[in-house]
Amino acid sequence: MIDRLTTRQLNRATLARQLLLERADCSAEQVLQHLVGMQSQVPLAPYVGLWTRVVNFRADELSALMIERRAVRASLMRATIHLVIAADFLDLWPVLAPVSERGLWTGSPFGRRVPREIVDDLLAFAQNLLAEAPRTRAELRRLLGQRWPKLDADAMAYAAQYLLPIVQVTPRGVWGRTKAPTWADAESWIGSRMSTGAAPDDLVLRYLGAFGPASVQDVQVWSGLTRLSEVADRLGSRVRRFRDEAGRVLLDVPDAPSPSADVPAPIRFLPEYDNLLLSHANRTRVVPESRIVPLWPGNGGNRGTVLVDGFWRANWGIVPDGERAHLEIEAFQPLPRRHGAAVAAEGQRLLAFAVAEGRPGDIRISVA
């Protein structure tokens, strides 16, 4: 008989694996590897994501990883930008390349404007350009347009971005600095070759270690891959099986953290697009009342969500005010006094991290 897990049990298990029940006393590099990367569509969001998960995290630790090319930002899971350690990129990209290919040919208007018969030549030419030097999309568009003047240069540049193993280079993503998105050939930038013979089996196991217990549909939502039921069957006894309250079959890795449902969950501030909120088909383990996860426009990583008792109960934003910056927290419902005090205290710590020294302002809590 398969054991059944409650929503609250799933909540606590996932929070433990996401390092959100207790901050981890380890390096940012180790956390990035454990989490299989972090959403980085907003370049500075992973800094808040690591601050909320790592004991005494310092922004310059992550900046150094990126400057030293030990961590990179690239299109991976769901064909969205993620920050991963460089070695993981070399392993993950061959497995996840079909996601980007499907995104170009079936989900993008650019795929229809690139003749299939030139794709191999286009990719070889573009890869050489990006191995020579990092280039912006505008630069790549201009050079491809010169090579194929009768074709759509925009579409060719997007096709190269979708189909080639490339990374966004620094200083974009470095704390306190900025730059237009600029891309380079991954092997040239990292200085190592892409992995060969990759299969999704290990990726599924790593996902379960960071997000499980979870269903096959959950893994597919997180990764963008399809037909993972075949992988689950192949894993056999390497995974345990449970059911959730609705009867869905969940997979898990043996000996993964599974704390009691009544373990206290501290207040946690998450950045925009944190994978905790985006990596399950059934999000009720964290997202209550079928609430839709917000997709904010890019604003430098100064907004996010708040977990109260392990569930998403509020949003936060840092609002400049002259020489100061205030933290505004909007709860979905009135917070009990003990939670309100804890939210304010953790918010003060977030302001101290995110705002330049001497500028943190007030904590303002309201109800939507």
Side-chain angles (χ1 to χ4, degrees), residues 15 38 56 68 77 89 95 115 136 172 191 194 232-233 243 250 321 328 338 358:
L15 292 181
M38 302 182 78
N56 297 324
E68 295 166 8
M77 284 71 75
F89 176 85
V95 178
T136 64
R172 188 168 178 82
M194 204 69 62
D233 293 340
R243 289 189 184 275
L250 306 177
D321 181 15
E328 295 186 348
R338 62 187 177 89

Side-chain angles (χ1 to χ4, degrees), residues 103-174:
L104 175 67
W105 299 123
T106 67
S108 165
F110 299 108
R112 296 191 292 271
R113 292 166 13 210
V114 177
R116 293 292 186 104
E117 62 269 20
I118 73 150
V119 168
D120 288 346
D121 289 343
L122 165 65
L123 296 183
F125 185 74
Q127 189 160 25
N128 284 335
L129 291 175
L130 296 168
E132 289 173 356
R135 302 182 191 276
T136 64
R137 184 184 295 131
E139 292 169 335
L140 190 59
R141 180 175 61 237
R142 176 177 59 81
L143 294 168
L144 292 173
Q146 291 173 356
R147 172 65 179 80
W148 286 279
K150 295 184 179 180
L151 298 181
D152 188 320
D154 269 330
M156 290 190 291
Y158 273 100
Q161 274 190 245
Y162 271 100
L163 301 179
L164 288 175
I166 59 178
V167 298
Q168 280 193 12
V169 304
T170 54
R172 188 168 178 82
V174 173

Side-chain angles (χ1 to χ4, degrees), residues 68-354:
E68 295 166 8
R69 307 186 186 187
R70 292 158 57 198
V72 294
R73 296 176 63 252
S75 181
L76 285 168
M77 284 71 75
R78 307 183 295 280
T80 56
I81 299 294
H82 278 71
L83 172 68
V84 297
I85 65 170
D88 271 352
F89 176 85
L90 299 172
D91 290 338
L92 294 175
W93 194 87
V95 178
L96 294 164
V99 180
S100 291
E101 292 172 8
R102 187 176 70 244
L104 175 67
W105 299 123
T106 67
S108 165
F110 299 108
R112 296 191 292 271
R113 292 166 13 210
V114 177
R116 293 292 186 104
E117 62 269 20
I118 73 150
V119 168
D120 288 346
D121 289 343
L122 165 65
L123 296 183
F125 185 74
Q127 189 160 25
N128 284 335
L129 291 175
L130 296 168
E132 289 173 356
R135 302 182 191 276
T136 64
R137 184 184 295 131
E139 292 169 335
L140 190 59
R141 180 175 61 237
R142 176 177 59 81
L143 294 168
L144 292 173
Q146 291 173 356
R147 172 65 179 80
W148 286 279
K150 295 184 179 180
L151 298 181
D152 188 320
D154 269 330
M156 290 190 291
Y158 273 100
Q161 274 190 245
Y162 271 100
L163 301 179
L164 288 175
I166 59 178
V167 298
Q168 280 193 12
V169 304
T170 54
R172 188 168 178 82
V174 173
W175 187 262
R177 302 175 65 184
T178 188
K179 184 180 182 179
T182 306
W183 300 86
D185 172 68
E187 291 183 339
S188 301
W189 182 258
I190 295 170
S192 296
R193 303 290 293 177
M194 204 69 62
S195 298
T196 58
D201 303 46
D202 287 340
L203 180 64
V204 171
L205 293 173
R206 290 188 63 186
Y207 167 84
L208 294 174
F211 295 92
S215 69
V216 169
Q217 291 76 22
D218 292 330
V219 192
Q220 292 181 164
V221 163
W222 168 76
S223 65
L225 293 169
T226 59
R227 303 179 64 180
L228 292 184
S229 292
E230 300 170 9
V231 176
D233 293 340
R234 191 163 64 233
L235 289 173
S237 61
R238 297 175 68 186
V239 296
R240 301 176 64 195
R241 286 168 172 79
F242 301 91
R243 289 189 184 275
D244 65 11
E245 291 177 334
R248 287 177 285 257
V249 175
L250 306 177
L251 309 177
D252 203 9
V253 288
D255 304 321
S258 296
S260 169
D262 59 7
V263 167
I267 302 300
R268 290 292 184 253
F269 284 76
L270 301 179
E272 298 173 68
Y273 309 121
D274 193 279
N275 267 341
L276 176 72
L277 302 180
L278 297 171
S279 298
H280 298 87
N282 176 25
R283 298 173 177 175
T284 56
R285 70 183 65 199
V286 176
V287 180
E289 302 151 7
S290 301
R291 193 172 286 274
I292 298 174
V293 177
L295 299 178
W296 287 298
N299 54 27
N302 287 330
R303 293 194 67 88
T305 54
V306 186
L307 301 183
V308 179
D309 188 31
F311 293 87
W312 174 34
R313 302 292 187 189
N315 294 329
W316 65 268
I318 294 177
V319 180
D321 181 15
E323 294 299 315
R324 308 177 74 202
H326 307 293
L327 178 63
E328 295 186 348
I329 300 162
E330 186 177 70
F332 306 143
Q333 297 176 341
L335 298 174
R337 182 174 298 179
R338 62 187 177 89
H339 288 323
V343 166
E346 185 71 358
Q348 288 284 8
R349 290 187 281 270
L350 173 63
L351 268 183
F353 169 79

